[in-house]
Amino acid sequence: MADGERAEELDVLVERNDLTGIRLWLAEHRPYEIADELSRLADPYVIIPFRLLDKDRELEVFEELDPGLQQVVLQGLRDTAFHELLEEMDPDDRARLIGEAPAKIATRALAGLSPAERKMTAALLGYPEDSVGRYMTPETVILHRDLTVGRALEVVRAKGADAETVYTLPVVSDGRRLVGTVGLSDLVVSADELLIKDIVDVLAPRVRATEPVEDAARLMQEANLVSLSVVDSEERFVGLLTFDDALEVIEAADTEDMARQSGASPVAEHYASVGVFRLVGARVLWLTLLIVAATLTVNVMQVFEPTLEAVTALAMFVPMLIGTGGNVGAQSATAIVRALAVGEVRVRDLPVVIWKEARVGLLLGVVLALLALGIGSLLVGVQVAVVVACSVIAVCTWAAIIGSSMPLFARKVGVDPAVVSSPMVATLVDATGLLIYFSFATLILGL
């Protein structure tokens, strides 16, 4: 059955309050599919199919939902179901949910947890928002460096069921100071009498719990890690950042960057569940700022109005010129924002980046200028065509420099580089590109 048909079918079943049909539909679909379809329903109707889930599937579906929808579900549950669901959640997922929930839900949630779960959750909530500590899991199997492999495997069998992951096992010395990690596969293939300290990877990466979680997730991506050890300021092991959480962090960061690059505020909720006014609010501010910035272009046109009156053919190429410059600048900005995100470029690389992008812009300008020279000569004559060709070269070079440098300057002053990317670069290049264009026209045509 097609995705669209499946979504419509659930919607119809909920509207008809066909409880039997909803139960059958839920039984036929996987947790992530159910979560996706619930996200497409209006908030008041989400709780109906959720309550009809089997107890052993409730948690799986709940953890697949966006935080906003999780809060909707919790508000619709009775106290017993509410507390049972939160008690069964992984501590890191529960901490992030409570951290984003309204005070009323957060208080209710913490009050109903068992002492052990409340202590773990409170510890995670003590870390800064968007830090590794908020995303790590404290439920791990820890091995002491002086254990034998045989004894370590017994520890894994005894405690592994309560841990979120056993594929990467932290190895500690006295006082829980992290020595390194050992993989479960290494334990399985090693002789029982070997000591853990003889097979531990002491060079395994580690991060502080207070570091930005996006940086840690990018490190995991680059190093191909299943999980990453997390330590406190005294190098004591406190938890693991697992690959599933790292993937969510990277996806959220990339989604936010894409929104900002398009000139909009990021919207975390599922698109199907976001209202029209919410989308308008996310986009209108940036469009307002851009239209104000675009008045620079109008002012430049007014200043050079006599030039346009003298050679009206110049006006024909204005859209082409500013469009080309904006596109070149946007390409450079997008490339640098992406390079910053994955760690390929740092702020101190600014001179290298500008030199490279300037040459890229120059070569692009030469290629496009040859095309513009040929077309312009046929349409308006050689003199105006030369003006256009020279302007294209200069504008492309300038746009590449602006597009590549603005994200780096933004990072330097602590602003998200994506904020000053494509739309803002294009608007700035439009105004400055016209100055370049009319300057060449004045110089070459003697106006």
Side-chain angles (χ1 to χ4, degrees):
M1 190 179 296
D3 287 345
E5 296 175 341
R6 189 163 63 235
E8 181 182 4
E9 181 185 357
L10 180 61
D11 182 63
V12 171
L13 291 171
V14 171
E15 286 185 1
R16 293 177 181 173
N17 202 29
D18 183 355
L19 303 186
T20 302
I22 294 173
R23 284 193 180 94
L24 291 173
W25 189 96
L26 294 172
E28 293 172 354
H29 294 81
R30 300 178 181 88
Y32 69 87
E33 293 174 322
I34 296 172
D36 184 64
E37 301 302 346
L38 291 181
S39 300
R40 300 171 188 276
L41 298 175
D43 287 354
Y45 297 105
V46 171
I47 195 62
I48 297 173
F50 188 84
R51 282 178 171 173
L52 297 177
L53 283 166
D54 296 334
K55 286 293 182 183
D56 58 345
R57 303 185 77 199
E58 274 187 351
L59 181 61
E60 292 181 81
V61 173
F62 185 79
E63 291 184 335
E64 294 287 343
L65 298 174
D66 294 329
L69 200 54
Q70 287 180 334
Q71 295 174 26
V72 171
V73 169
L74 288 176
Q75 288 175 326
L77 294 177
R78 297 183 180 88
D79 281 346
T80 302
F82 178 97
H83 295 310
E84 287 179 354
L85 188 61
L86 286 171
E87 184 77 18
E88 293 173 2
M89 290 184 71
D90 291 329
D92 53 323
D93 294 331
R94 182 170 57 232
R96 291 198 299 278
L97 170 60
I98 294 175
E100 296 177 13
K104 185 178 180 180
I105 295 180
T107 302
R108 182 186 174 197
L110 285 171
L113 292 174
S114 64
E117 295 294 333
R118 187 185 306 119
K119 182 178 179 181
M120 274 194 292
T121 304
L124 296 182
L125 287 171
Y127 292 104
E129 188 176 357
D130 294 328
S131 68
V132 179
R134 282 287 185 99
Y135 287 79
M136 70 181 183
T137 175
E139 294 183 320
T140 60
V141 177
I142 303 174
L143 303 177
H144 195 278
R145 65 192 300 271
D146 293 330
L147 289 178
T148 63
V149 168
R151 177 55 184 153
L153 286 171
E154 292 177 6
V155 172
V156 173
R157 294 189 191 102
K159 299 181 178 180
D162 296 325
E164 186 170 334
T165 179
V166 294
Y167 297 110
T168 300
L169 300 163
V171 178
V172 299
S173 60
D174 295 338
R176 287 176 66 101
R177 295 188 182 277
L178 184 68
V179 175
T181 62
V182 62
L184 179 62
S185 58
D186 294 326
L187 286 184
V188 172
V189 300
S190 298
D192 287 350
E193 62 274 11
L194 268 178
L195 293 176
I196 294 297
K197 64 183 178 183
D198 294 329
I199 60 173
V200 64
D201 180 7
V202 296
L203 299 178
R206 64 184 70 183
V207 293
R208 294 281 179 88
T210 52
E211 292 181 20
V213 69
E214 184 181 347
D215 293 347
R218 299 288 183 190
L219 173 60
M220 291 182 67
Q221 184 182 42
E222 292 174 10
N224 297 317
L225 300 175
V226 175
S227 55
L228 179 63
S229 298
V230 184
V231 296
D232 62 14
S233 58
E234 298 180 1
E235 294 296 312
R236 292 177 299 200
F237 177 79
V238 291
L240 286 174
L241 180 64
T242 55
F243 75 93
D244 54 332
D245 290 325
L247 285 175
E248 289 183 7
V249 168
I250 292 173
E251 181 183 5
D254 289 346
T255 300
E256 181 177 334
D257 285 347
M258 288 177 63
R260 295 197 185 282
Q261 287 173 15
S262 66
S265 299
V267 177
E269 296 86 0
H270 193 293
Y271 178 83
S273 64
V274 180
V276 172
F277 289 106
R278 176 76 173 86
L279 291 176
V280 170
R283 300 175 187 179
V284 69
L285 174 62
W286 292 103
L287 290 175
T288 302
L289 293 174
L290 290 172
I291 200 171
V292 171
T295 58
L296 291 172
T297 304
V298 177
N299 292 334
V300 172
M301 293 287 286
Q302 287 180 332
V303 170
F304 288 96
E305 189 174 354
T307 304
L308 286 173
E309 290 177 353
V311 184
T312 55
L314 291 172
M316 295 173 55
F317 296 93
V318 168
M320 179 271 291
L321 189 70
I322 63 177
T324 300
N327 288 335
V328 171
Q331 288 177 340
S332 295
T334 301
I336 299 305
V337 169
R338 184 261 176 195
L340 277 170
V342 299
E344 294 177 354
V345 166
R346 294 158 295 187
V347 174
R348 66 172 179 263
D349 296 325
L350 178 62
V352 176
V353 169
I354 290 179
W355 174 234
K356 176 178 285 188
E357 287 295 326
R359 287 178 290 164
V360 171
L362 177 63
L363 292 175
L364 288 172
V366 170
V367 173
L368 297 175
L370 292 174
L371 182 61
L373 183 63
I375 296 174
S377 298
L378 294 174
L379 294 178
V380 295
V382 175
Q383 270 195 313
V384 174
V386 170
V387 171
V388 174
C390 292
S391 299
V392 167
I393 294 173
V395 167
C396 287
T397 305
W398 173 242
I401 292 172
I402 290 294
S404 60
S405 61
M406 283 184 68
L408 290 168
F409 281 125
R411 173 63 63 85
K412 178 70 175 178
V413 298
V415 176
D416 186 347
V419 172
V420 293
S421 57
S422 302
M424 189 63 71
V425 168
T427 302
L428 180 60
V429 169
D430 286 351
T432 53
L434 287 177
L435 286 172
I436 293 171
Y437 182 40
F438 289 123
S439 297
F440 272 111
T442 302
L443 180 64
I444 295 174
L445 300 179
L447 300 175

